[in-house]
Amino acid sequence: IGDGDILRMDSEGNAESIFQKDQTLVGSATHSLCSPLADKLFQTAILERSPETQYLVMATDGLSNSFSEEGFSQFVKSLLERIQEFGLEKVQESLPQWLDQLSAKGSRDDITLALVQTSSQQDLTQTKIENQEQDRLKEAEYVTHDRTESQS
């Protein structure tokens, strides 16, 4: 019920909706909270924390309706790229203007956007260090194995 989006985004900027689209609805129609069956139409989700999920993106329909489905995913991915390049504070400063422009050119609807970081920077840095260390160990094992075989 409602007309917003909640997506999970990984460290590569890939985004996926946490809810299934209701195939009985046409276009951007949504179920109404005034419906006598409103309590039966809610969707809920429990998300486990994982190193793969870096952000949750929550937005009203004014944002997604300003794009094609592919364009919306690309916009969400560009948010991560901009955060990585310019930092969260710069993106936060620029976001109101970007959203106003998107609305004016797209849906002409109000837009609310929340970006929730689910991993601390320390968690992300630690994961990156652990991955690099695992890569080094695998390479060392390969080199050691290769030398052992050539000496036999």
Side-chain angles (χ1 to χ4, degrees), residues 102-113:
L102 285 169
S103 179
K105 292 178 181 178
S107 67
R108 300 189 123 347
D109 195 358
D110 61 299
I111 299 174
T112 301
L113 173 68

Side-chain angles (χ1 to χ4, degrees), residues 47-58:
L47 304 174
E48 292 186 33
R49 286 187 69 168
S50 73
E52 293 83 32
T53 302
Q54 187 169 358
Y55 292 98
L56 289 179
V57 179
M58 297 175 275

Side-chain angles (χ1 to χ4, degrees), residues 32-45:
S32 172
L33 288 171
C34 299
S35 165
L37 299 174
D39 63 326
K40 310 278 188 276
L41 301 171
F42 278 95
Q43 291 187 47
T44 60

Side-chain angles (χ1 to χ4, degrees), residues 78-125:
S78 75
L79 279 177
L80 178 64
E81 292 166 353
R82 290 174 182 176
I83 290 168
Q84 290 172 337
E85 185 173 347
F86 302 108
L88 188 57
E89 286 183 27
K90 290 284 187 191
V91 171
Q92 185 178 354
E93 289 171 17
S94 302
L95 207 50
Q97 183 180 356
W98 295 342
L99 297 178
D100 286 345
Q101 290 173 354
L102 285 169
S103 179
K105 292 178 181 178
S107 67
R108 300 189 123 347
D109 195 358
D110 61 299
I111 299 174
T112 301
L113 173 68
L115 185 63
V116 179
Q117 188 172 5
T118 59
S119 298
S120 70
Q121 192 60 40
Q122 182 179 358
D123 291 344
L124 297 174
T125 302

